[in-house]
Amino acid sequence: MSSGGSDLDGRLFGDPEVAVHFSDQARLQAMLDVEAALAESEAELGLVPRECVTAIRTAARATLYDRAELGAEAAQQGNVAIPLIRHLTKHVAAADPQSARYVHWGATSQDVIDTALVLQLRAAVPQLLAHIARAAGHGARLARAHAATVMAGRTWLQQATPTTFGLKAAGWVDALDRQHAAVTAALNTAAVLQFGGASGTLAALGDRGPAVAERLAAALGLANPDLPWHAHRDRLVHLGCALGVACGVLGKIARDIALLAQTEVGEVRDGRGGGSSTMPHKQNPVGASVALAASLRAPGLVASLLAAMPQEHERGLGGWQAEWSTLPELVMVTAGAARAIADTLETLTVDAARMRENLQRTRGLILAEAVTMALAGRIGKADAHARVEEASRRAVRDQISLGDALAEDPEVMRYMGRDELERRLAPEEYLGAARTFVERVLSRRGDGR
Amino acid sequence: MSSGGSDLDGRLFGDPEVAVHFSDQARLQAMLDVEAALAESEAELGLVPRECVTAIRTAARATLYDRAELGAEAAQQGNVAIPLIRHLTKHVAAADPQSARYVHWGATSQDVIDTALVLQLRAAVPQLLAHIARAAGHGARLARAHAATVMAGRTWLQQATPTTFGLKAAGWVDALDRQHAAVTAALNTAAVLQFGGASGTLAALGDRGPAVAERLAAALGLANPDLPWHAHRDRLVHLGCALGVACGVLGKIARDIALLAQTEVGEVRDGRGGGSSTMPHKQNPVGASVALAASLRAPGLVASLLAAMPQEHERGLGGWQAEWSTLPELVMVTAGAARAIADTLETLTVDAARMRENLQRTRGLILAEAVTMALAGRIGKADAHARVEEASRRAVRDQISLGDALAEDPEVMRYMGRDELERRLAPEEYLGAARTFVERVLSRRGDGR
Amino acid sequence: MSSGGSDLDGRLFGDPEVAVHFSDQARLQAMLDVEAALAESEAELGLVPRECVTAIRTAARATLYDRAELGAEAAQQGNVAIPLIRHLTKHVAAADPQSARYVHWGATSQDVIDTALVLQLRAAVPQLLAHIARAAGHGARLARAHAATVMAGRTWLQQATPTTFGLKAAGWVDALDRQHAAVTAALNTAAVLQFGGASGTLAALGDRGPAVAERLAAALGLANPDLPWHAHRDRLVHLGCALGVACGVLGKIARDIALLAQTEVGEVRDGRGGGSSTMPHKQNPVGASVALAASLRAPGLVASLLAAMPQEHERGLGGWQAEWSTLPELVMVTAGAARAIADTLETLTVDAARMRENLQRTRGLILAEAVTMALAGRIGKADAHARVEEASRRAVRDQISLGDALAEDPEVMRYMGRDELERRLAPEEYLGAARTFVERVLSRRGDGR
Amino acid sequence: MSSGGSDLDGRLFGDPEVAVHFSDQARLQAMLDVEAALAESEAELGLVPRECVTAIRTAARATLYDRAELGAEAAQQGNVAIPLIRHLTKHVAAADPQSARYVHWGATSQDVIDTALVLQLRAAVPQLLAHIARAAGHGARLARAHAATVMAGRTWLQQATPTTFGLKAAGWVDALDRQHAAVTAALNTAAVLQFGGASGTLAALGDRGPAVAERLAAALGLANPDLPWHAHRDRLVHLGCALGVACGVLGKIARDIALLAQTEVGEVRDGRGGGSSTMPHKQNPVGASVALAASLRAPGLVASLLAAMPQEHERGLGGWQAEWSTLPELVMVTAGAARAIADTLETLTVDAARMRENLQRTRGLILAEAVTMALAGRIGKADAHARVEEASRRAVRDQISLGDALAEDPEVMRYMGRDELERRLAPEEYLGAARTFVERVLSRRGDGR
């Protein structure tokens, strides 16, 4: 059971407002919308009688159809469009036998299935984009608020040199903004009509195929491609890739938050953290777990889309079918992750005092580079490195601070007074361009000062 | 919407009898079964009062619980077990306040979720195995029936030398049998209890943890592992891998069938082939498309399971959650593929005449090797190769048969009479060990003669 | 051994002119180029003495360094930049001890490794793009030449309705052109400097970090990002995705060619086809096998890049390292596939006579839709469908042509004379918009008439 | 450039003693070994003259062949076996023209390539298994030594309840032992001869094919399968899966170590930790980064193997080729990870004092469950939970210990004296079955007491 289809997991891992666009009902309706728009476009061009438009429109309501029956027939015929068109034709025939003959005129089942999917994506993806935008907005607020909040920069999961929480948040925002743009662009590129008939020539419409395509695309608000793309799936797969990368970015933010929220670190806290059935004191970073899970599932889903690309001839077998549940699942997974991170960032509690406290854990070792660089200008980088390294070793061995260890070295003290030494060891003095970087991100969004 | 959760696609791509084990209802029931068995085991050991068993058993019916409500709470708390246990406790308390305190005694939510998943797998996977066995059975019947049906062997999608349809089918059976054994073994290995409490020590049960675990495993018919495996997922992932490989084998069979069923080849035909909405003469290999789609999706699903393995410490965040929909989806996808191939092989129409006809397409070139090998024993392999290659070129250029081209070569005719040449060019004379190989597979299954 | 690193497989699966950019030598040189440009940029800003630039430039030649030694030290220290910088410093010190202190001034090893990778990509990817462009060019030539060459359109690997080889080729070109644009755009987006120092603040450069970054980016011809991206890999992964989609498109073309080249189809032939060690008559579609292999490997490589994205804090552990061989391998695999398809299309032999011959295989059934649509305008689509379906069944049963079967139906003959019937059954009369679609693609490229 | 093929990365990410088996040289030699053993087996059966055995054996030395030349020809012909056999034949012919005709007698190029790969795997994988065994051995030593070393159990990256480092290490060992067995079993299953000739019938050997196969398998020490498996790759893919799961387990251990080694946690330290180019005090967990990188790459590599499985007919195109670099790369990646974890565990420094210190971080909250369970037996679980939860809240709010908070609650004190309370809050008193679990793992390995 996918996250989208489960009452139990759907709200945890997905987003009901996105999932609704991929329900069986929504899928049928999208296919019926395509059929109705097709009849309309063809009527406007005089290819089918005007009367049939009303008959088809009237029958084009998903609730009229028995999903289990359609599913059973789909299992025989290979896709759900074939029985749907048959039942639609019956419905139309019951109201107006003349019109029944014009149902699905000139189209093939893949035209309907693909265009319906594109319509579903166009409805669903913007909601996911809104979550990404919301996440970026909360991230920007945090970046602004904490532009001067010093914390340990960490590399290899070891404290390295100081940074600010503002810069960390600005990095998140920067990446989220890029994904918002990338997914938007990919959605726009993918929002194209599929309309080619049996083998992609629109032969059943004689020489009127391109005219119908143009009108149909306009009616559905989609772009009209230069030619049908039944076995060329790159536009959809590019969208899938953009979603996959977005999950990666959301997973990175989630990982940072989960690590910062560790009991031993305690620098942030998920304000909405989940409880434990047995441990009353815990507050689990539920949002981070959702986004991390998404970042673990998305690569496999993207791989499935890519693997399905080499589709045979005019319309393939197997590859196309592999997309049907994969791409919607990817949208739902990404939506769930984006919502989770947006909610998490919205309620994130930041403990600046704990950040500063953790900076002291190494008794100044984290500022070894600061002293090294200051000394390097005077005694050369190699010598500076060697002296600081030696002092660091003493500091660790004797469990004293790096400042005290350095103060014991006359060579160091010759070039640097105790005052300067102290200043060099103050993390807020060793932040380089952190603020500049934060400002760049914020001002690009119009959030700058 | 996954194949399992959709009325429209579920019967096409999955198997309702498998999917039912992964419905929300089945999942809740499996969790409740674990809770009931836990109370029972603990009562037997005197850890909880006997009376509470009845109260918990009575409340342990999935239909008592509101799935939407559970889902909404799961979204807050990170998994559905937490609210389920709370609601279960309420139900028990309504009947017997004393018993309520013993609900979920000593367990953690992951114990319940993991063990429930194992129970669901144990119920679902055998049905999938039955499909694989059925496919292998039909394959064996075909291998027996067509042990002497000559057809073109094809490599690089080019006709190579003759083979038999029996050998091709025997190769399918051989691989299916191996996957049946491998999935069975992996399921057995994975059918272990999860029971460790909050951090995997069963500390809440004092020194009685292992005794409870033993009884609980016995009650559920599961193996009792040496220690809890909350963050060690290899057994489940091995099962996922075995399913993935099975999908690969099913996809290989599907590809063979789809290729043999091509209009231009026409050697087999899916007896249940799907129709086309626009082309009355077509019979689409629907079963093959289902299995090929599965073989394209499974690698990504397996990759997700593998990627989720490095789970943090005693119980991770993100990795575990990524499995929840992935492994059931993989079971359903494999079940759908196995069912599709079993059905396809059951109704496969084999056109032996067409097979022989296609063997003539190259005007004997496909038997070039046969002549080469026969000549090689007399004039050396290199010379034999050169003469046959030269004759092949003439045959292609002059559009004559290889037999005629060879007959024009006096050097060839010196070593080989026209009669022998004809015999060498008869495909049924150049089948080597094909029958032996078929017999080996069949007799291993007790199908041999 | 990757395709790039193997003498045996490198020329088959890759492209030596691309692989050369990812050799150990090229990698070292790219890192050394970054170090030299860094010194230069800092000298221009007065941060390091001008003299050290020459000393560093002189030592920045990859051939000066022992790769095995560097590799042994990398195994201890976690990446090759650390020992390389140490050895570079030694080399500089030997020439000018004063300059040695300014080697790698203010940078971290990831700055050097990432920027070097970006430089390698910028050198390698355009060669791959040239292959895609060449493939598209040959495809366009084929589309132009065969705009009127009728052939069977095939769906589900069954003949459906007629199409033209020109339209098939135009579909390839259309998709190749999109991938050329997408990879180009992704490369441009990814061509950014990495420069952040230990924790991404450039603290070691005081307030001069951004100025150095700007100059360094200019010196290397890269864009200067708003902030360092050590743990934000989305730009590189987007490039990887674009390569993966390109492999999918190349795989689709390869699959079409391999299927058309089947002995039983014989509509195209790889002019450079490989021989067989045992079958003198075969010509294997080697180029197609290379591109199909790439399309099977690329999804996994892309999945690895995506999975590696959630990197910890300021610089992660594990995720970054997972990219090092994956992204170059993906470039090489794509290059090999693009080269293979370009070469294959360049030398592709198209057998128009065979295409027409294969169109007759179904004795007119492939044109059932054409007759159906023509009849539908007169007797309604449902009736038309029914009559043609019935005639198709008779044609199959009695092994007569569809034309003869339809001629036996007085109802059909009432609405359609034998002449019209014949015309309706001529494939070149049922091509719809095929030529229009071809022209659109060609004229967009300036190839139109 | 793959890790195996690079001097710079090969020692960091791979294992030279494993990589050597996948060098171009080793690959050629393995193919030549197959050719020599084939001649020998056929000579024993009288199919080829005895004299040719010596001639072929003499020419079957990889150093005799020009790899670049072979690679160039492979690029034309589709695989390296074709030119290799041609050059081998030339070499034999130079020594003994008569024998030249018997080179490669009855085999096809895939027989040679596949069997050679199996021989390479059989040589390489045991070295990887030795690393896994070594890792498990060091893990067992740690489990024994630290069976009583209390530390925080962590779930969701939050401290949960106490555990022991011994139990954590035992969990690693348990999983490593399972993977050692699984990879061994998969290697044994995969160690089968490939020998089928052009289309898998061994037709070129008349009725002697099976006899040759039997002898050849014996000569190479491989199992003789019931039939050739050219297009059935499941045995190799199962091995690939086993390697993938092993990488997952190694990645889990690596993640635990990397997290425990965090500056803020500091409970273990990689004794061989890599230095930083700019931060003298850091010791980076290099081994963990290698194994985590492997665990991120392996899923994609396994996905490629799975995706390549549906190979066409008797021998496919594309799928087979996709395996060639993927499976060796997977072996090398796994070997590197196993070596890295073995080395890391060998030199791991465990800081038991720090573990105990970190247990105090929550001021007793981590033992909330212990008190809850003790109280539950007296006042019911729900009440117990509520009282402890309330005390936990007070403890957090007032920054007092849980012990002090509980002592303020008269209801609690009524059932539990201060002494018992203290005991309940001692982590070593709340370890449940931790020691039992450790003993089970150790005694299963014969390490128990």
Side-chain angles (χ1 to χ4, degrees), chain A residues 418-439:
Chain A
R418 188 79 209 202
D419 275 10
E420 183 185 349
L421 187 59
E422 222 135 274
R423 187 161 50 75
R424 295 289 177 196
L425 289 166
E428 58 273 20
E429 296 293 321
Y430 198 65
L431 293 172
R435 182 170 284 274
T436 303
F437 292 152
V438 172
E439 289 303 330

Side-chain angles (χ1 to χ4, degrees), chain A residues 154-155 159 261 263-264 282, chain D residues 154-155 159 263-264 282:
Chain A
R154 294 168 176 104
T155 66
Q159 289 194 7
T263 307
E264 297 84 3
K282 279 182 68 184
Chain D
R154 293 168 176 104
T155 67
Q159 289 194 7
T263 306
E264 297 83 3
K282 279 183 67 184

Side-chain angles (χ1 to χ4, degrees), chain A residues 345-377:
Chain A
L345 291 179
E346 182 173 4
T347 62
L348 197 75
T349 309
V350 179
D351 189 337
R354 188 71 181 268
M355 287 174 176
R356 182 166 283 273
E357 194 185 318
N358 283 337
L359 267 171
Q360 306 308 325
R361 291 274 181 103
T362 62
R363 295 200 195 86
L365 287 177
I366 190 179
L367 285 147
E369 187 191 74
V371 184
T372 306
M373 292 308 286
L375 278 177

Side-chain angles (χ1 to χ4, degrees), chain D residues 42 88 139 141 158 224 264 267 361 368 378:
Chain D
E42 291 175 334
L88 169 62
R141 176 179 48 76
Q158 303 286 303
N224 184 27
E264 297 83 3
E267 299 184 0
R361 291 274 181 103
R378 301 165 208 181

Side-chain angles (χ1 to χ4, degrees), chain C residues 110-194:
Chain C
Q110 188 169 357
D111 293 336
V112 177
I113 292 174
D114 279 349
T115 303
L117 175 62
V118 167
L119 293 176
Q120 292 173 273
L121 292 169
R122 200 188 47 187
V125 173
Q127 316 226 21
L128 169 170
L129 286 166
H131 289 309
I132 294 182
R134 194 159 60 86
H138 289 300
R141 176 178 49 75
L142 291 167
R144 160 68 57 226
H146 293 281
T149 304
V150 289
M151 74 186 299
R154 293 169 177 103
T155 66
W156 294 80
L157 287 179
Q158 303 285 305
Q159 290 195 6
T161 60
T163 185
T164 62
F165 184 64
L167 180 53
K168 189 184 280 270
W172 299 342
V173 172
D174 191 51
L176 287 170
D177 284 349
R178 275 198 300 278
Q179 302 338 299
H180 192 280
V183 173
T184 302
L187 176 63
N188 288 341
T189 303
V192 292
L193 177 73
Q194 178 70 282

Side-chain angles (χ1 to χ4, degrees), chain A residues 95-158:
Chain A
D96 173 13
Q98 280 303 86
S99 291
R101 65 170 70 168
Y102 298 110
V103 168
H104 192 60
W105 189 257
T108 192
S109 54
Q110 187 168 356
D111 292 336
V112 178
I113 292 175
D114 279 350
T115 303
L117 175 61
V118 167
L119 293 176
Q120 292 173 273
L121 292 169
R122 200 188 48 186
V125 173
Q127 315 226 23
L128 170 169
L129 286 166
H131 289 309
I132 293 182
R134 195 159 59 86
H138 288 301
R141 176 179 48 76
L142 291 167
R144 159 71 54 227
H146 293 282
T149 305
V150 290
M151 73 186 300
R154 294 168 176 104
T155 66
W156 294 81
L157 287 179
Q158 303 286 303

